[in-house]
Amino acid sequence: ARCSTTRVFVAEVRVDGWVGPSRQRFSAALHAAFTRENDVYLEVPGPGRSFVQIGGRAERAVLLLPRDERVLRAPTRDIVEALTGLQWDAVDLLNVLTGCVTTPGAAVSGVAYFADQAAVELGVGARAWLRRVAGAWQVDAATRDGLLVEYRAREGAFPSDVRVSDATPGTTPLLVTFRVSQVSANVPLPPATFELTVPAAFTPMTLEDLRSC
C-alpha cells in the first residue's frame, strides 16, 4: 500500500555493479527523483560541476556531461540501459526502488506456502515472494523482465538495499546494487526539476559514445 500510493520518489542512491561478460564495474552516488508519470532527474554531483545530469519527461530525456561539455538526447530507457544494462524507464526505477516491483494492479493469483510466506503473480511476467514480518507482509524478492530483484534491507516504509541480477543463459549478465537513503515520498516538485538547460556550446553525442565512456 505504501509504494502503490507513491507518485513522487526522491532519494540519495548509491549504485554499484557490473554488466557484460567482461564484468566492467561502475559506481556512482546519485541525487535521484522519479515520478509515476515517468519523469526523471538524476545527478552525479561533483566539486564545482556535476559529473552527470539526466532530466526527462514522458520518456524523453537529456543527459549532460558538464565536464566534457557533451549532450545526449534519447529515451530514458535507452540512457539507463547504456549506463547500467537495465532497460528501465523512470517509472520502472520508481516501482523497483519503492518495493512495488511493477506498476500496481490486481494480483493475478497467489499461493501461501506457510502462514508467513507467499508468492504473488503481479502480471506482465512479474512475480513477488512475500514474508510476514511483525504481522505485516513485505516483499523479499521478485522477478520481472527476466531479472531477479532482491530486497535485502529496509529502512522505514521503503527498501534500502536492492540487488538486481541476471545470469540467464543467452542474455547479458549483470549485477546492480542500489543503496537508498534520505527518502522523501510525494513531495511537490516543479516541472522544471526534470527539464535541463543545454548550453549552446555542448557537443551532441550518441548512445554508443555513452557506452564507450
Side-chain angles (χ1 to χ4, degrees):
R2 176 62 171 164
C3 70
S4 65
T5 58
T6 300
R7 305 203 63 80
V8 178
F9 186 75
V10 179
E12 302 293 312
V13 182
R14 179 81 194 186
V15 183
D16 297 284
W18 54 263
V19 61
S22 66
R23 299 198 175 192
Q24 182 174 349
R25 300 194 65 84
F26 55 84
S27 180
L30 307 173
H31 300 321
F34 311 108
T35 77
R36 202 159 287 286
E37 285 69 42
N38 227 2
D39 303 324
V40 61
Y41 178 77
L42 297 170
E43 180 188 14
V44 180
R49 280 179 134 183
S50 302
F51 290 105
V52 180
Q53 285 181 291
I54 301 171
R57 309 196 71 193
E59 302 179 8
R60 295 297 300 179
V62 172
L63 176 143
L64 299 180
L65 300 178
R67 294 169 182 246
D68 296 332
E69 297 190 346
R70 304 180 77 184
V71 56
L72 169 66
R73 292 178 173 88
T76 303
R77 176 185 296 261
D78 291 346
I79 293 175
V80 172
E81 188 276 333
L83 292 172
T84 68
L86 300 169
Q87 296 180 352
W88 287 348
D89 285 325
V91 69
D92 297 316
L93 289 163
L94 183 150
N95 283 326
V96 170
L97 296 184
T98 58
C100 269
V101 183
T102 189
T103 298
V108 177
S109 62
V111 177
Y113 294 107
F114 302 100
D116 62 347
Q117 297 179 42
V120 177
E121 299 289 343
L122 302 174
V124 295
R127 172 184 290 182
W129 285 269
L130 292 82
R131 181 167 52 97
R132 194 191 299 270
V133 178
W137 290 98
Q138 69 179 36
V139 180
D140 270 357
T143 54
R144 59 159 293 169
D145 307 322
L147 302 168
L148 173 63
V149 182
E150 299 171 85
Y151 293 98
R152 304 195 296 173
R154 303 181 74 88
E155 186 173 321
F158 296 106
S160 59
D161 190 329
V162 183
R163 184 167 69 175
V164 182
S165 58
D166 183 9
T168 306
T171 64
T172 301
L174 62 84
L175 176 64
V176 182
T177 299
F178 300 89
R179 293 181 175 86
V180 186
S181 61
Q182 304 297 316
V183 172
S184 297
N186 295 330
V187 294
L189 296 176
T193 302
F194 309 100
E195 299 168 357
L196 300 183
T197 299
V198 181
F202 276 36
T203 303
M205 62 186 297
T206 67
L207 286 165
E208 287 306 315
D209 293 333
L210 179 61
R211 291 188 180 99
S212 64
C213 287

